[in-house]
Amino acid sequence: MPADALNVFGRPLVPCGMEPRTGFFRAGCSRSDPEDRGLHVVCAVMSADFLAFSRARGNDLSTPMPEYDFPGLKPGDRWCLCALRWLEALQAGMAPDVVLESTHLNALGVVNLEQLRLYAADAEQPSPGDHPGSLQSNHHDDGRESR
């Protein structure tokens, strides 16, 4: 992974998922380049609701496609989503949780950090202005605590 690949906290990007292998480059990371018109930079944790939402929008992520070496996704899998698809799901009330340490900084050109924090799957996350080793627990605005 390039040394300049940073997450939404401005720290080195952490891999999103290797099983199945995700990312625009299928290298396990939510990084992108100018060829990635979809901007696959949001590391999301798949849910049954989101997979159904995506299928209804014409992007079936659950059906295996062996010809593309794509095993199909299931709830719990991590996958690098297009930032605009995540925003669309957010607006429809169907956004999947995200792994902030594995979500590329470029996602902030489409969604803001506070929107992402509301769906953080990370058990703990850096607070703005905190020192790198300082962490805070994340709670969703509906009272549930992140996993």
Side-chain angles (χ1 to χ4, degrees):
M1 176 174 2
D4 63 345
L6 301 176
N7 65 27
V8 295
F9 301 120
R11 297 194 173 102
L13 190 64
V14 173
C16 179
M18 297 302 281
E19 287 293 325
R21 189 175 294 266
T22 188
F24 180 71
F25 299 102
R26 292 299 189 264
C29 290
S30 297
R31 67 179 188 84
S32 174
D33 77 1
E35 291 182 28
D36 178 13
R37 296 183 312 199
L39 200 61
H40 294 80
V41 294
V42 177
C43 179
V45 180
M46 297 295 98
S47 67
D49 287 342
F50 175 76
L51 291 169
F53 169 82
S54 188
R55 180 180 305 140
R57 293 290 200 267
N59 188 18
D60 182 0
L61 296 172
S62 18
T63 301
M65 298 179 75
E67 64 271 25
Y68 297 108
D69 196 29
F70 179 69
L73 302 177
K74 60 187 180 314
D77 286 343
R78 290 182 176 192
W79 194 250
C80 297
L81 289 181
C82 297
L84 285 172
R85 175 67 66 180
W86 190 87
L87 177 60
E88 178 186 14
L90 174 69
Q91 292 168 340
M94 301 299 288
D97 286 347
V98 297
V99 181
L100 296 172
E101 290 186 329
S102 302
T103 295
H104 196 282
L105 182 65
N106 288 349
L108 299 181
V110 177
V111 296
N112 67 54
L113 184 56
E114 290 312 309
Q115 290 170 314
L116 292 169
R117 279 184 188 267
L118 290 174
Y119 293 86
D122 311 53
E124 297 179 331
Q125 52 184 289
S127 295
D130 274 352
H131 299 295
S134 181
L135 297 172
Q136 79 175 32
S137 179
N138 180 53
H139 295 270
H140 291 274
D141 60 354
D142 66 1
R144 64 187 170 104
E145 187 166 334
S146 292
R147 299 180 278 298

